[in-house]
């Protein structure tokens, strides 16, 4: 925690407008239900309006002052983005001291940028390039020829295998593995012979890869994660996958080999895609959904095998009424039988 | 392996009753199909009664002596719990020497409890507290301000990030990551801006987290795992998740952000829960099931999207008969058509 | 990259036949769409025949010369296996220097084979055996009594816990955990008491385990992975699982405790199996499929709960037509009603 700031000071930092008492001192930011008079809170979803009105928070970040009359407010177009900035203000990241920790094992031929830091218990291979103000935390292992851009943050115990490249401002969370071999075998008479995986992984700028996620190197060429894409924990990205820019891949989703994903697409939790597919731009695969064939731009896919969400929901509804349908069919059969009997009696 | 023990000696350790020859010497414990005359075995599921009767085991742990007449037995109310205790007797854990290994990198200001051990190749941050008789195994990384209780066991290469707290008698298996950043972004015009994750993770007493599982720190506040809860391998617990006491989360299950789970609940393998849900106490989500909305205490949930198990099974059965249903409908249509034809002929 | 080779020289290495100009020099191997005149490419799937015909590749590996007339070719029975061998020729693995890195922490009593290498920042327990020409990469942790065969490759940061055994020529990718405790608890009055897991994991010869996969040690006895079996990233193999020889377990699949899998079986991505099952030989569980009961040899299983694929596809098709079926039933009801009305009018 840093010292407190006035609403006016925060407004200046955020480019926000103060409504109410700009002199009010704020010591931190908290959710509506945990904030006190010394805290700023935030309302970015109207469904929490009552909670906001009832919150003892000293001030609230809102999009429109009309939402909360008679309260001290910071008004801005993007309250949640403002929350991110205020968190940086009150929780500044401690940057480790620059240079190589004495316990690190580092090849003589590496290139270390100004302000860069290589932490304890690390192992850095031959010909590695580490950009300016980049942080390699404790226990990381970088293979030969790995290239890290500027202002990269590797959390503890990340592995980046030989030759892989990480762009500027990327973040890799603990335990992630970048550049493991793809699952490639030539099977002859039931025996699986390893196909050497000689490609690399490229993370473009501003990519974040989270904890214990695995990204396989290409068999040949590149597995590539597009600029600004964020990948959650325990996600699997197979060899030669191409993920476009500004995508979100949520936890435990998995993308099979050589599949391409267009920019601004989303895979929700535990979703998946088969291999060698072409997934368009702005595609959303909902939780547990699986793309088993290529899908055009803007598709919302649900279920397994994945179908357009509207169709999937209709089918789900029909399945739910299925026992009723079967009862109805049985009833109709009885009515038909009685009609048929009448017919015979007439004859 | 330690030296052998008499049935009577084991009975005293377990508070069990000997039936048969108390002098019989036991060298270890084995499953029914692998035990010899020198071994103790166990019967905790009646369906294995015949296997038990046929087993060459020297003695058997049972709940009731009537189950296996004419055998040497150890009789106790909880045979499987007794198995756990006997395993401890014959396989005592080797405790590493107390103190800090010379290869460890440790801040000067840490607090190390009596009998605690910090293993080789570890990195321990500023202001870390390590309780009495706690073991930090090789390759672990503890961030600044981490607190470990007494008699905690961290297996090799565990990462616990800044500020997280681990209760007494917790066990964390290899490769687990506690306190990675949550998947939180403020998306503006399709660009995902990182929301700093400034909360922590709290593991209450007697929690076990298994291999390569990931638990994200809260955005603000705490992600909390309740006392006595056990979490299997490769499980994902997202930011601000609250798991109650004495729950079981089986391998590859995933709980989305801010979801609360009541005590004594179970998520089976590859199960899941959407975010911001309230999962009651004693809830069971069966294998591959997914809670997509809040569920009351005691619910047994199955399938995707998750429904009460009985309803899910009815629906599954109806789906299995669906091809028959369609045949029946086609048949009825023919019979109706012929009735209609007759009607016209009459006219 | 090594120096270039003539087609004839490559043909000799592969036992292949040259068609066309054997003097042509090849500098590397590339996919059809990325190869130039200096590259060899390959055609192992007829559906890419047009792409092969159009490729500027200098030469192409094919099964039959008739496929690509008027091109320089290398003809062999198994083009994809040949690709694997050519990749080895042009991308020879750099073998680390033999011996123990000064930063490694190694017990005095280990046995180190000729040509074996123990990398930086590693921790090797008591009584460990490391075979000839085996590589233990940076950051690996081997528990007491671990045995590694000859020509094993452990990528960075692998953990192998006490007593586990790894056969000859095995490969373990980064972050994998071999021998973590199984998820075994004796639950009494809602409290979960840990059952010590005192068994081991055995990887037979030629097994590959990929990144961040977890394999639990047996409660008692062995968890065993059969010779030649390959396991992809983020797979979970629970305690006492027995996987046969030459199986493939694709990413994010999970096998529950004590289940046996016969040889040459395949679990596709995100597939699973319940516990205590007997899965036959040559079984295929398709993507996202789950074996919930034992299945005989040769079964192709799909869906959840898993059913024979043909049956599953029929059911899926019926489900897709379900809304039509419901419309049809409604229509029949109207027709029956009108017949019934006529009947009454007649009366």
């Amino acid at each position: 925690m840093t010292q407190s700031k006035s609403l006016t000071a925060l407004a200046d930092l955020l480019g926000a407008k103060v409504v109410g008492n700009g002199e009010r001192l704020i010591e931190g930011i908290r959710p509506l239900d945990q904030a006190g008079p010394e805290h700023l809170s935030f309302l970015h979803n109207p469904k929490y309006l009552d909670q906001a009105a009832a919150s003892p928070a000293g001030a609230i970040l809102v999009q429109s002052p009309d939402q909360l009359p008679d309260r001290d407010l910071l008004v801005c177009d993007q309250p949640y983005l403002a929350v991110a900035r205020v968190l940086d203000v009150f929780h500044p990241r401690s940057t480790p001291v620059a240079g190589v920790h004495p316990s690190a094992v580092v090849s003589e031929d590496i290139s270390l940028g100004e302000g860069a830091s290589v932490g304890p218990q690390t192992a850095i291979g031959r010909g590695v390039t580490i950009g300016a103000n980049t942080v390699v935390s404790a226990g990381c292992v970088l293979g030969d020829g790995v290239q890290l851009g500027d202002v990269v943050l590797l959390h503890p115990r990340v592995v980046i295998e030989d030759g892989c490249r990480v762009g500027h401002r990327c973040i890799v969370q603990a335990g992630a593995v970048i550049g493991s071999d793809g699952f490639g075998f030539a099977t002859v008479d039931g025996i699986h012979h390893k196909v050497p995986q000689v490609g690399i992984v490229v993370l473009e700028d501003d990519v974040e890869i989270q904890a214990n996620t695995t990204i396989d190197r290409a068999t040949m060429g590149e597995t590539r994660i597009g600029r600004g894409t964020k990948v959650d924990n325990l996600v699997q990205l197979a060899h030669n996958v191409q993920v476009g820019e500004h995508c979100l891949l949520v936890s435990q989703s998995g993308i099979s080999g050589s599949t391409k994903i267009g920019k601004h697409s989303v895979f929700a939790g535990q979703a998946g895609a088969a291999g060698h597919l072409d997934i368009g731009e702005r595609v959303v695969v909902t939780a547990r959904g699986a793309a088993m064939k290529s899908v055009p731009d803007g598709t919302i896919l649900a279920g397994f095998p994945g179908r357009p969400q509207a169709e999937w929901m209709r089918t789900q509804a029909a399945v739910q009424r299925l026992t009723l349908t079967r009862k109805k069919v049985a009833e109709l059969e009885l009515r038909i039988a009685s009609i048929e009997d009448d017919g015979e009696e007439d004859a």
Side-chain angles (χ1 to χ4, degrees), chain A:
Chain A
M1 285 292 181
T2 56
Q3 77 295 350
S4 60
K5 295 206 176 320
S6 71
L7 269 191
T8 305
L10 287 171
D12 295 345
L13 283 165
L14 300 172
K17 194 164 113 291
V18 176
V19 171
N21 171 19
E23 301 311 302
R24 179 187 279 278
L25 288 181
I26 296 298
E27 295 175 8
I29 183 164
R30 294 280 174 84
L32 290 165
D33 59 343
Q34 293 163 37
E38 71 279 23
H39 296 126
L40 178 68
S41 193
F42 49 96
L43 173 64
H44 62 101
N45 182 338
K47 92 177 181 198
Y48 297 115
L49 186 54
D50 294 352
Q51 198 181 6
S55 171
I60 300 181
L61 269 161
V62 292
Q63 201 165 28
S64 146
D66 321 341
Q67 292 178 281
L68 291 167
D70 315 322
R71 293 292 295 260
D72 291 343
L73 305 175
L74 284 179
V75 182
C76 61
D77 293 345
Q78 299 290 346
Y80 201 54
L81 182 58
V83 168
R85 291 179 180 155
V86 174
L87 283 166
D88 279 328
V89 169
F90 287 107
H91 304 269
R93 252 203 168 279
S94 66
T95 50
V97 288
V100 176
H101 190 279
S103 67
V105 173
V106 177
S107 301
E108 290 158 359
D109 65 351
I110 75 161
S111 151
L112 190 66
E114 192 179 353
S117 151
V118 176
Q121 315 292 19
T122 52
I124 313 298
R126 289 186 294 276
V128 168
T129 302
I130 298 174
N133 300 307
T134 280
V135 175
V136 178
S137 301
C140 288
V141 178
L142 307 185
D144 296 342
V146 165
Q147 297 177 32
L148 306 182
D150 300 336
V151 200
V152 168
L153 172 58
L154 303 187
H155 279 257
R157 264 191 33 221
V158 165
V159 173
I160 304 183
E161 298 257 19
D162 295 0
C164 296
R165 301 201 305 265
V166 175
H168 301 308
R169 298 173 304 279
C170 287
I171 297 173
V172 185
Q173 298 282 333
V177 175
I178 312 295
S180 41
D181 283 354
F183 197 64
F185 301 91
T187 300
V188 179
D189 304 331
I191 309 301
H192 311 297
H193 303 269
K194 185 174 180 69
V195 176
Q197 305 288 299
V198 304
I200 62 172
V201 173
V202 176
L203 306 184
E204 299 181 353
D205 297 342
D206 301 300
V207 165
E208 178 162 355
I209 306 300
Q210 297 202 328
N212 281 352
T213 278
T214 58
I215 307 182
D216 286 342
R217 61 179 52 241
T219 306
M220 295 170 249
E222 298 176 346
T223 302
R224 179 171 282 266
I225 312 302
R227 183 166 51 92
T229 283
K230 314 298 184 183
V231 182
D232 200 353
N233 299 348
L234 294 172
V235 171
Q236 152 73 353
L237 301 178
H239 47 187
N240 295 86
V241 161
Q242 309 287 312
V243 181
E245 300 184 350
H246 307 299
C247 293
L248 296 175
L249 305 180
V250 180
S251 185
Q252 297 178 320
S253 55
I255 310 299
S256 305
S258 300
T259 284
K260 292 182 175 50
I261 300 174
K263 64 190 178 193
H264 296 293
S265 289
V266 176
F267 278 70
Q270 301 183 336
H276 298 275
L277 301 185
D278 200 330
I279 308 294
E281 302 180 357
R282 289 167 286 97
V283 168
V284 175
V285 180
T286 57
R288 210 54 90 71
M292 302 307 283
K293 49 190 181 188
S294 296
V295 291
D297 295 351
T299 309
I300 301 180
L301 211 68
F304 177 85
R307 289 182 296 281
Q309 188 179 38
E311 177 191 330
W312 178 78
M313 289 176 81
R314 269 197 311 275
T315 307
Q316 281 294 310
V319 167
Q320 290 320 302
R321 288 185 299 255
L322 191 49
T323 45
L324 296 178
T325 304
R326 297 185 62 253
K327 283 207 193 76
K328 172 63 66 181
V329 169
E331 174 214 316
L332 295 185
E333 185 170 24
L334 290 176
R335 285 163 63 181
I336 292 168
S338 80
I339 294 168
E340 290 167 332
D341 295 346
D342 297 347
E344 284 160 19
E345 286 160 21
D346 299 348

